[in-house]
Amino acid sequence: MRSEGCLVDSFNLVFAIKACIRLSILQDGKSVHSLAVKFGLERDPYVVPALIDVHMEFGSLEDAQKLFDEISKWNKVSCGAMMKGYLKSSKPVKVFELLSRMRTSGFKQE
């Protein structure tokens, strides 16, 4: 990405992550995650849901959960990414647990 002269920002990282998912390229997904960390975008509200998606897509529920747990403010996109991942991982009960956590924490839709 950088060798091609592309600017590393949240917009480009999200599309790079989506390309990794679509092409089923786990190693590149990890590289893009590393770029997000290097450029301080690993907590970006646009990047986090995409990172959650890439981890879930490649079967790393633990990494996706860690990312989600570390964000300071949930949004409907990051919550939706987790719910989608739970369903993909055959964990529908986790969807309801997250909904309950959202309700008890006073989650407000933006």
Side-chain angles (χ1 to χ4, degrees):
M1 197 169 144
R2 290 182 52 213
S3 64
E4 299 296 324
C6 290
L7 177 67
V8 177
D9 61 11
S10 59
F11 181 79
N12 289 325
L13 282 177
V14 168
F15 283 106
I17 292 165
K18 289 179 184 265
C20 293
I21 293 169
R22 185 159 204 153
L23 297 170
S24 298
I25 307 172
L26 173 60
Q27 190 55 44
D28 286 350
K30 289 180 178 180
S31 296
V32 175
H33 189 161
S34 295
L35 271 177
V37 171
K38 181 177 181 176
F39 286 89
L41 297 168
E42 74 276 12
R43 303 277 187 271
D44 183 275
Y46 298 103
V47 174
V48 169
L51 290 172
I52 289 170
D53 279 345
V54 79
H55 287 296
M56 290 293 204
E57 186 67 29
F58 295 119
S60 184
L61 176 61
E62 297 80 22
D63 289 336
Q65 186 69 57
K66 183 178 180 211
L67 266 172
F68 184 74
D69 290 342
E70 290 176 352
I71 57 178
S72 60
K73 184 178 177 187
W74 293 344
N75 63 40
K76 59 186 171 185
V77 180
S78 58
C79 290
M82 283 305 297
M83 289 179 198
K84 176 181 156 190
Y86 290 144
L87 291 173
K88 184 174 178 56
S89 301
S90 300
K91 299 194 181 297
V93 171
K94 297 288 276 179
V95 172
F96 292 107
E97 289 173 359
L98 178 53
L99 284 170
S100 177
R101 283 176 60 193
M102 290 167 66
R103 196 172 317 131
T104 58
S105 70
F107 178 80
K108 302 282 187 221
Q109 286 193 23
E110 299 162 3

